[in-house]
Amino acid sequence: MIIEQILSDLEHVRIDDRRNRHLEKVYLHSDDLVKRIQRVVTDHGRELGISLREPRDLMDGDVLYMDDESMIVIEVIPEDLLVISPRSMQEMGEVAHKLGNRHLPAQFQEDRMLVQYDYLVEAMLDEENIPYAREKVKVKNAFRHVGHSHG
């Protein structure tokens, strides 16, 4: 089966429609969310090809397939992240500046900054006495590196 478009996301599928269908999941690492063309296997062993017509990243909860009996949904695998919780806007700016100099992609959830685990970043946070935790977190979107040169 080839998937060429995302039908919906799990949040927008009615609860009754979810209950009445067998749910299969495609487990992906966040890095795979940016791939428009890939081969995947559901947790029930069904092989799928994903070849999206529109340029769009995949997201946790995307519905790839749905019929009267079943539904196939993307589930992102939790990954090893540093969850940074600056105490002030000043501290947030300083952390963001230092991470930006390293060209590290970050995501934000409420008042927390999420970055993929890196021992050098962890050492910098310890050195600067910035509150953080190392956690397994499921992100909704891929960490996207922004192309940039200093030249």
Side-chain angles (χ1 to χ4, degrees), residues 77-118:
I77 299 167
E79 61 184 287
D80 192 13
L81 300 181
L82 293 171
V83 180
I84 306 166
S85 302
R87 294 171 286 241
S88 68
M89 187 61 96
Q90 171 78 25
E91 197 168 66
M92 174 63 88
E94 291 171 2
V95 170
H97 179 73
K98 289 176 182 177
L99 294 176
N101 281 339
R102 296 171 189 249
H103 300 277
L104 290 177
Q107 293 186 26
F108 299 88
Q109 291 180 352
E110 294 144 18
D111 57 349
R112 305 175 332 150
M113 179 186 291
L114 309 176
V115 295
Q116 292 171 311
Y117 178 77
D118 180 300

Side-chain angles (χ1 to χ4, degrees), residues 2-8 28 32-39 49-59 62-65 74:
I2 304 293
I3 306 299
E4 294 181 328
Q5 66 181 10
I6 304 305
L7 301 178
S8 182
L28 295 178
D32 294 327
L33 296 174
V34 298
K35 298 176 183 175
R36 285 182 36 223
I37 300 171
Q38 58 185 306
R39 197 172 245 359
I50 298 175
S51 180
L52 298 180
R53 284 184 260 154
E54 60 185 55
R56 158 202 200 289
D57 290 349
L58 297 167
M59 294 177 59
D62 277 346
V63 177
L64 301 177
Y65 174 80
I74 290 179

Side-chain angles (χ1 to χ4, degrees), residues 100-140:
N101 281 339
R102 296 171 189 249
H103 300 277
L104 290 177
Q107 293 186 26
F108 299 88
Q109 291 180 352
E110 294 144 18
D111 57 349
R112 305 175 332 150
M113 179 186 291
L114 309 176
V115 295
Q116 292 171 311
Y117 178 77
D118 180 300
Y119 72 95
L120 294 172
V121 172
E122 184 177 42
M124 181 268 298
L125 295 168
D126 283 334
E127 185 178 302
E128 300 288 328
N129 194 29
I130 295 169
Y132 74 93
R134 186 174 175 184
E135 299 176 11
K136 289 281 188 186
V137 178
K138 179 169 71 168
V139 295
K140 190 158 178 81

